[in-house]
Amino acid sequence: MLRKRICPFLLAALFGLLTACSSGQGSSSAPVSSEGDKASSSSSSVSSSDSAPASSSSSGAASKSAASSSAAKTSSASPAQEKSKTVKVTVPEGFTLPQIAARLEAKGVCRADDFIKAAQTYDFSYYSLVAKIPNSPNRCYKLEGYLYPDTYEFYTDMKPQDAVGKFLRSAESQIGSKYSYSGMTTDQLITLASIIEREADDSDNMKKVSSVFHNRLKTGMILQADSTRDYCNLYLVPKFGDKYNKYYNTYPNRSPGLPIGPICNPGADALYAAAHPADTDYLYFATGTDHNYYYGATQQDRDTLMANAGVTPLYAD
């Protein structure tokens, strides 16, 4: 009996609640927007898309104007956004020009062939270092030695000449006229530094190796540097045959003194060592199979030191 009396009451109450909801008075969870809110919402839609249709002639003009402005901003921003994409590229000391070109291509900066072509043909003579490079047909890569090793930030898909210029600007500030040695031009000093860079692993041995080469140059001996032979075999002969071999290879019957140009791009330690060799009477050195360096005023002196250490030259003389 009690249940029957409650049910009609509940049904009536439920009917009243449903009626209130249908008239918009039964919920406050979704409030109706004001006119100002509607206008703001309409403006936001136009700004985000220039394809939003106009609701009236007057508002249509405003909408078209906003759409045009939005389209213009989008159009002008796109190239900047693309250009702002950058990559960091680290070029280690001792990298050659072809190695640098390959790394730039791998990072999406520019094509390797385009970089090499720009380095060979673009007129960079407004850089003081470049202006002093001897003009010789026997020089293979003109800017070898002048692409200063460092970590750079490049744009992707940039002009190859701009990429080359970035290296040269660094060389101007990092090399400039900081390094000199009596009787040697800057180009000769950079050339010697490039050999030292590929022959020694640390600043102390770089200075000792530098003393060997300076002493050999003074006495008229050939340099007989493995690094020059390697440069020819790895980077010149495969592409150009024997065209440049005798101008870069410092073994017998080839280049009598320094190569015609650098064989890599040296860093600060090698450049300093070329300008400030250790004070020694060394004319010979070799890296032993223990990866230590052995020096001597004569080859016999050097070989005796190696024999006492129980090692042999890592590379054949």
Side-chain angles (χ1 to χ4, degrees):
M1 292 295 290
L2 181 61
R3 188 180 298 172
K4 286 183 179 180
R5 288 180 182 179
I6 293 174
C7 287
F9 175 78
L10 291 175
L11 289 172
L14 181 61
F15 179 79
L17 181 61
L18 291 172
T19 303
C21 288
S22 65
S23 64
Q25 299 172 357
S27 174
S28 61
S29 62
V32 178
S33 300
S34 66
E35 288 303 313
D37 291 333
K38 286 181 181 178
S40 176
S41 176
S42 175
S43 175
S44 176
S45 297
V46 171
S47 296
S48 63
S49 174
D50 60 2
S51 62
S55 59
S56 67
S57 59
S58 59
S59 63
S63 299
K64 288 179 180 179
S65 176
S68 298
S69 176
S70 175
K73 288 180 180 179
T74 302
S75 176
S76 62
S78 295
Q81 289 172 349
E82 291 177 5
K83 190 175 182 181
S84 65
K85 184 178 179 182
T86 61
V87 291
K88 284 188 176 180
V89 181
T90 297
V91 175
E93 291 88 348
F95 254 37
T96 64
L97 189 149
Q99 282 180 299
I100 294 173
R103 177 158 292 191
L104 292 179
E105 179 170 293
K107 292 286 188 175
V109 177
C110 60
R111 292 180 64 250
D113 288 346
D114 293 339
F115 180 83
I116 293 174
K117 182 178 179 181
Q120 292 291 81
T121 62
Y122 197 85
D123 183 9
F124 291 106
S125 60
Y126 46 87
Y127 290 103
S128 59
L129 280 175
V130 176
K132 297 175 184 177
I133 297 175
N135 185 17
S136 171
N138 300 325
R139 194 174 183 123
C140 184
Y141 293 115
K142 179 181 178 181
L143 297 184
E144 189 78 273
Y146 293 82
L147 307 179
Y148 194 77
D150 205 343
T151 295
Y152 295 89
E153 192 166 340
F154 293 96
Y155 291 120
T156 55
D157 299 318
M158 70 186 298
K159 293 180 180 178
Q161 62 267 31
D162 291 343
V164 175
K166 202 172 186 72
F167 285 104
L168 295 178
R169 284 193 297 276
S170 184
E172 287 282 295
S173 64
Q174 298 300 325
I175 301 176
S177 57
K178 291 181 181 179
Y179 305 100
S180 63
Y181 189 84
S182 179
M184 297 184 76
T185 65
T186 299
D187 186 64
Q188 289 172 331
L189 189 71
I190 293 174
T191 298
L192 178 56
S194 72
I195 299 173
I196 296 168
E197 185 70 71
R198 297 299 288 258
E199 293 282 347
D201 297 329
D202 59 81
S203 59
D204 183 56
N205 279 301
M206 283 182 177
K207 293 173 187 175
K208 292 176 183 177
V209 168
S210 177
S211 73
V212 171
F213 291 136
H214 274 291
N215 291 340
R216 281 185 167 240
L217 288 171
K218 289 174 183 176
T219 59
M221 296 176 66
I222 59 172
L223 295 188
Q224 203 164 330
D226 292 337
S227 55
T228 63
R229 180 178 57 190
D230 293 343
Y231 183 69
C232 291
N233 292 339
L234 294 173
Y235 301 103
L236 302 186
V237 173
K239 189 173 180 65
F240 306 103
D242 289 332
K243 181 178 180 179
Y244 299 104
N245 194 28
K246 66 180 180 179
Y247 304 110
Y248 285 91
N249 193 327
T250 59
Y251 267 72
N253 303 318
R254 294 178 177 87
S255 179
L258 287 169
I260 193 71
I263 61 169
C264 72
N265 295 277
D269 285 345
L271 287 161
Y272 186 87
H276 303 90
D279 185 11
T280 76
D281 60 355
Y282 299 149
L283 289 170
Y284 294 86
F285 82 96
T287 307
T289 47
D290 59 354
H291 296 280
N292 288 322
Y293 291 78
Y294 296 86
Y295 303 88
T298 67
Q299 186 168 341
Q300 183 61 48
D301 291 341
R302 183 206 69 181
D303 291 347
T304 298
L305 288 174
M306 298 183 79
N308 292 339
V311 298
T312 57
L314 190 61
Y315 306 101
D317 289 326

